Amino acid sequence: MVMRINIDCNGCYRKVRRALLDMKELETHLIEKKQCRVSVCGRFVPRDVAIKIRKKTNRRVEILEIQEFSINDEQTHEEKPLMITSNTWNLESNQTHVETCVACI
């Protein structure tokens, strides 16, 4: 599932990261700070995860994309890719000093 969450400063990033790490149903997550996108994988109800993040971070959460598992009649699980984001991954760590936003004060 891909969500849009406003991440204005490092404090917002930490709030979102802590909220994601506290959820046991999530297997992996990726936070794209510059694009304000969060991608998560696991077995969960998308609406419930979005509500939990909203309550824990006090940030608006918008679900952009959901991809689900498919279940065959033979009780075998075929996984479809759960995480599709932009073609370019900006995973560089730019350690620039950012003032805290009004929401984190």
Side-chain angles (χ1 to χ4, degrees), residues 9-95:
C9 67
N10 290 335
C12 297
Y13 174 84
R14 283 193 300 272
K15 280 184 185 179
V16 171
R17 185 171 179 269
R18 281 190 203 127
L20 293 172
L21 290 174
D22 288 342
M23 291 187 217
K24 302 297 182 198
E25 60 266 15
L26 300 182
E27 294 174 8
T28 61
H29 69 272
L30 174 69
I31 302 172
E32 296 179 83
K33 192 173 176 181
K34 290 187 179 184
Q35 289 85 15
C36 293
R37 286 186 179 186
V38 176
S39 303
V40 293
C41 292
R43 293 186 175 270
F44 54 84
V45 178
R47 192 179 108 230
D48 293 345
V49 169
I51 290 171
K52 285 181 186 178
I53 293 172
R54 166 70 176 104
K55 286 182 179 178
K56 289 183 179 184
T57 63
N58 201 23
R59 310 294 289 170
R60 193 180 104 181
V61 177
E62 179 183 349
I63 298 175
L64 298 178
E65 182 177 344
I66 300 172
Q67 291 190 355
E68 300 179 7
F69 288 102
S70 66
I71 300 174
N72 291 341
D73 294 334
E74 302 168 358
Q75 296 298 328
T76 59
H77 300 281
E78 291 181 18
E79 293 185 27
K80 292 182 179 178
L82 285 178
M83 196 167 55
I84 298 178
T85 57
S86 60
N87 292 337
T88 59
W89 290 76
N90 287 337
L91 297 179
E92 300 104 29
S93 159
N94 293 337
Q95 295 295 332

Side-chain angles (χ1 to χ4, degrees), residues 7-14 33 59 94-105:
I7 302 174
D8 300 324
C9 67
N10 290 335
C12 297
Y13 174 84
R14 283 193 300 272
K33 192 173 176 181
R59 310 294 289 170
N94 293 337
Q95 295 295 332
T96 58
H97 178 63
V98 178
E99 295 292 326
T100 58
C101 66
V102 177
C104 290
I105 295 177

